Amino acid sequence: MQHSRNRDLDGVRGLAILLVVAAHSGLPVRWGGLSGVTLFFVLSGYLITSLLIREWGRWGSISLWRFWGRRALRLLPALVLLLALAPVLLWATGDDQLSSYPTAALASLFYVGNWVRIAGTDLGVLNHLWSLSVEEQFYVVWPVIFIVLMTWLRSRALAVVLSLAALATFYSVWTQGTAIRLDISTETNAFALLLGVALAFALAGVRARGWDLPSASPLVPFVVMVAVSAFPGHGLAVDHPLFRPLGAVYAVLGVWLVYAAVSGHSRVVGSRVMVFFGTVSYALYLWHQTFINSRLLGEHSTPRNLTLIAAAVLVSWLSWVLVERPVGRLRGRLRLDQPSRRQQEFAERQAAPASVS
């Protein structure tokens, strides 16, 4: 099984962004925003936890500063580019959101945008960055919890994360509150991340025991996810009470899809088109809604939105080629992929008995 980046996982990421973009464009994928973001969360929980498990298994500990450094190097360059250029867009289009932009930019830069919105402050063209705030809060907290689990509860880690995922899912489905808190708060979205975490622990446990799990084609859950995302809506008043239960359904489908992408292969999911959208998914998420929620090209309509999305795809590709990929190469220079001194000492101790023998 591959637990690092592979084409099918890139294709899963591509599906997630395409569902979100389609929903925002006005195309008949009513639930694409919910299903796409939920899929992103499941995938993030799985990938980050897989990396942490691998680092722990090799070095006996986690270098938090290197972990957070890698995350900052991956996420901040494209975000800073957006935050620097968005006010130019607002000024050029005479948008009155420019006056409140500094607050929106700071909330987004420090990844508290979801809580600022819940407190009643509209973030304008940056409203959609609430999900990045949820993910970054997860990146800050989860590695610390992971260290605690692996230090004191390693033999029960899978049971613990499964219990946490179940409790978080139950809470998300049944908790009450304002619509905006239910939609974008950290605690109501944590379940999808935790289900991804549980999948990573489960597959790592299977691998450690030398067991083989049957491979599965990601095409089937891929098609199912698209089909249920396109299920017709009946207006916000009817649809909104279904958001939390449907979120749980999409998360389970997301677990199925991620597992299938790890264990099997599909020419559709791993195609060049899906991999391309997976590669630029982060920048595309940043830019497409910023364009759509601006005054560019007048009033909202599906043709107008699709035109702006096409422009966002181009900008996202440029962001990847000119900013994200070049900055990513700094990982080597900054030694973010190298073990810490403590980890090197652990490796030397592990190698010592073999040297003596």
Side-chain angles (χ1 to χ4, degrees), residues 78-124:
L79 177 62
V80 170
L81 179 66
L82 170 75
L83 297 181
L85 294 181
V88 178
L89 170 64
L90 296 177
W91 172 79
T93 56
D95 199 318
D96 56 10
Q97 295 180 83
L98 184 60
S99 61
S100 60
Y101 182 78
T103 298
L106 286 173
S108 300
L109 180 63
F110 290 101
Y111 297 104
V112 293
N114 62 326
W115 294 112
V116 172
R117 285 188 61 192
I118 290 169
T121 300
D122 186 83
L123 302 185

Side-chain angles (χ1 to χ4, degrees), residues 34-35 37-43 45-46 130 134 138 161-175 182-199 242-255:
L34 176 62
S35 63
V37 169
T38 303
L39 180 55
F40 270 127
F41 286 157
V42 172
L43 185 58
Y46 167 77
W130 70 267
V134 171
F138 168 75
V161 296
L162 282 172
S163 299
L164 289 174
L167 288 172
T169 303
F170 181 84
Y171 175 83
S172 178
V173 171
W174 294 106
T175 190
L182 293 177
D183 289 348
I184 69 174
S185 70
T186 306
E187 78 274 13
T188 56
N189 287 282
F191 74 97
L193 289 157
L194 287 170
L195 285 171
V197 168
L199 177 64
L242 300 175
F243 274 26
R244 301 326 307 164
L246 273 178
V249 172
Y250 290 133
V252 172
L253 289 175
V255 170

Side-chain angles (χ1 to χ4, degrees), residues 52-53 56-57 59-64 142-158 160-161 201 342 346:
L52 291 172
I53 291 172
W56 185 279
W59 305 111
S61 63
I62 300 297
S63 175
L64 288 175
W142 171 240
V144 178
I145 298 175
F146 177 88
I147 291 172
V148 172
L149 278 176
M150 298 300 283
T151 302
W152 287 289
L153 296 168
R154 186 172 184 177
S155 63
R156 305 175 194 171
L158 176 58
V160 171
V161 296
F201 269 103
R342 177 185 175 187
F346 171 83

Side-chain angles (χ1 to χ4, degrees), residues 266-287:
S266 164
R267 291 183 179 179
V268 174
V269 181
S271 66
R272 290 184 178 181
V273 172
M274 297 307 300
V275 170
F276 169 79
F277 280 105
T279 301
V280 302
S281 60
Y282 176 51
L284 184 54
Y285 190 86
L286 295 178
W287 282 100

